[in-house]
């Protein structure tokens, strides 16, 4: 039972990762972001998800420094972008991210997308960074089962996390089962479908019964499914709302009704068909 924002899952290397964090995609590298991350930390969040391609690592770093919470109590994730996939280029990209964040280590570093022919060399770089102690855990993002199988064929270290699009319209059951079997923690991006499920009458009916909001129902559904999640908001009241999910539990029946909203629909690209 997950009971607070400080609760963690234990990754396959023993490192603990908060179940709930804040995402910062599409937020400019400026005061709005600094404030959002500071609000989040003030209200108990301990995990922040950024990426090199978001071009906002400096503001995330500034917020961390100004938060007053010791670095070791926070969990910071960043990701290597597609154009930097390669052994040396990934190491360099990691050092650039660290510098922008103003940190001397990351908690989690991910390969952002499974670019064919490139992700294995990048993975070797992540293994090196991990072995050198520069990052506490390494993982991937947007990997289908076949990408994971291919990666693990040659890997010395299996990924600890796979961060993928995951929400009630894309429940990823097969991928979740595969990750479970291989000790890979699944993490949900765009958990709120970037706002698109907020008018679902089924979710509204469930939310009303629990005296909760639709975002809270979705976040709770993620957690009860054993999926780490990182809803994004820059607004203090929503940052608080999205984390106010520890005082209720969805019944099995309601969990199933939410599962049944699955349509295998994506808001983002299919990792098998990326052209960036
Ligand atoms: P989300 O599903 O988290 O939705 C964010 C949107 O919902 C924003 O427009 C936000 O607006 C709005 N919102 C947030 N909370 C509420 C609320 N309580 N009520 C109403 N509206 C709300 O989308 P993201 O795409 O941002 O995904 C979350 C995070 O996942 C990203 O920020 C990023 O860190 C990560 N990600 C990773 C990807 C990858 O390839 N690995 C791809 C995409 C995302 P507002 O800010 O105005 O409140």
């Amino acid at each position: 039972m997950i009971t607070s924002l400080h609760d963690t899952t234990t990754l396959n290397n023993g490192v603990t990762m908060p179940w709930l964090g804040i995402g910062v995609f599409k937020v400019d590298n400026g005061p709005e972001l600094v404030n959002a991350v500071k609000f989040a930390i003030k209200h108990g969040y301990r995990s922040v998800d950024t990426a090199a391609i978001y071009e906002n690592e400096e503001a995330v770093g500034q917020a961390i420094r100004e938060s007053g919470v010791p670095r070791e109590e926070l969990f910071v994730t960043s990701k290597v972008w597609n154009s930097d996939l390669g052994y040396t280029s990934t190491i360099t990209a990691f050092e650039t991210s660290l510098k922008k964040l103003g940190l001397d280590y990351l908690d989690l570093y991910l390969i952002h997308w499974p670019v064919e022919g490139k992700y294995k060399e990048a993975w070797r770089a992540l293994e090196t960074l991990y072995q050198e102690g520069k990052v506490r855990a390494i993982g991937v993002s947007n990997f289908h089962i076949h990408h994971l199988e291919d990666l693990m064929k040659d890997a010395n270290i299996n990924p600890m996390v796979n961060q993928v699009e995951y929400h009630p319209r894309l429940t990823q059951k097969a991928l979740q089962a595969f990750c479970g079997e291989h000790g890979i923690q699944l993490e949900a991006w765009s958990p709120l479908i970037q706002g698109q499920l907020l008018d679902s009458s089924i979710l509204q009916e469930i939310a009303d019964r629990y005296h909760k909001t639709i975002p809270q129902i979705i976040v709770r559904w993620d957690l009860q499914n054993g999926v780490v999640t990182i809803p994004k908001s820059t607004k203090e009241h929503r940052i608080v709302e999205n984390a106010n999910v520890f005082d209720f539990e969805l019944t099995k029946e309601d969990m199933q009704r939410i599962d049944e909203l699955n349509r295998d629909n994506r808001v983002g690209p299919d990792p098998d068909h990326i052209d960036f």
Side-chain angles (χ1 to χ4, degrees):
M1 176 83 172
I2 301 168
T3 57
S4 98
L5 262 173
H6 292 204
D7 282 0
T8 53
T9 176
T10 302
L11 305 179
N12 67 28
N13 64 341
V15 164
T16 55
M17 172 177 193
W19 284 106
L20 182 51
I22 184 165
V24 299
F25 183 35
K26 291 187 184 160
V27 192
D28 286 346
N29 193 31
E32 190 191 17
L33 176 55
V34 175
N35 285 330
V37 174
K38 280 165 72 177
F39 291 146
I41 295 174
K42 180 178 86 179
H43 291 294
Y45 286 67
R46 289 295 176 266
S47 168
V48 186
D49 181 86
T50 185
I53 193 70
Y54 303 168
E55 296 183 335
N56 61 16
E57 290 167 310
E58 288 98 339
V60 169
Q62 185 184 334
I64 289 171
R65 283 189 297 284
E66 293 177 2
S67 72
V69 170
R71 166 70 184 96
E72 62 276 12
E73 290 180 21
L74 299 171
F75 191 98
V76 184
T77 301
S78 193
K79 317 182 191 89
V80 54
W81 187 242
N82 301 353
S83 52
D84 288 319
L85 296 180
Y87 186 78
T88 312
S89 48
T90 294
I91 303 258
T92 306
F94 176 85
E95 299 295 348
T96 303
S97 282
L98 266 194
K99 206 164 160 204
K100 287 185 173 172
L101 284 156
L103 299 177
D104 50 17
Y105 69 93
L106 282 186
D107 295 282
L108 178 64
Y109 197 49
L110 305 176
I111 295 181
H112 208 144
W113 289 91
V115 180
E116 286 303 332
K118 289 196 165 184
Y119 57 75
K120 287 194 188 180
E121 279 301 285
W123 187 253
R124 280 211 304 123
L126 264 60
E127 289 178 336
T128 299
L129 292 165
Y130 177 70
Q131 278 153 351
E132 288 175 349
K134 292 180 172 165
V135 56
R136 297 174 67 232
I138 52 176
V140 294
S141 177
N142 299 302
F143 274 47
H144 284 319
I145 291 173
H146 72 89
H147 295 120
L148 290 168
E149 284 172 336
D150 184 46
L151 184 79
M152 290 192 295
K153 258 194 333 226
D154 298 321
N156 292 316
I157 302 169
N158 280 352
M160 289 135 205
V161 171
N162 186 16
Q163 181 189 107
V164 298
E165 184 176 343
Y166 177 97
H167 44 64
R169 292 278 187 234
L170 183 70
T171 55
Q172 304 258 33
K173 291 288 179 203
L175 180 63
Q176 186 174 8
F178 181 90
C179 286
E181 281 158 27
H182 291 85
I184 302 169
Q185 174 64 53
L186 199 67
E187 179 178 12
W189 63 252
S190 292
L192 309 177
I193 320 189
Q194 300 179 341
Q196 285 178 37
L197 255 192
L198 301 179
D199 58 359
S200 156
S201 55
I202 293 175
L203 288 177
Q204 191 61 58
E205 183 269 312
I206 296 173
D208 289 346
R209 262 194 291 113
Y210 290 89
H211 306 293
K212 288 285 169 183
T213 63
I214 290 179
Q216 290 168 334
I217 295 296
I218 298 177
V219 169
R220 184 73 209 181
W221 170 82
D222 286 341
L223 301 180
Q224 286 185 217
N225 273 324
V227 177
V228 168
T229 191
I230 44 170
K232 171 261 169 185
S233 180
T234 51
K235 305 194 170 53
E236 185 169 15
H237 69 281
R238 286 179 171 173
I239 291 170
V240 171
E241 176 187 339
N242 295 343
N244 185 3
V245 296
F246 301 106
D247 56 354
F248 74 111
E249 190 168 4
L250 294 164
T251 61
K252 244 176 146 174
E253 292 71 30
D254 285 328
M255 288 293 289
Q256 196 174 335
R257 288 179 71 211
I258 301 170
D259 284 345
E260 286 165 5
L261 295 173
N262 182 48
R263 302 288 180 273
D264 291 333
N265 279 352
R266 293 175 184 275
V267 283
D270 183 330
D272 273 336
H273 303 286
I274 50 173
D275 57 0
F276 50 86

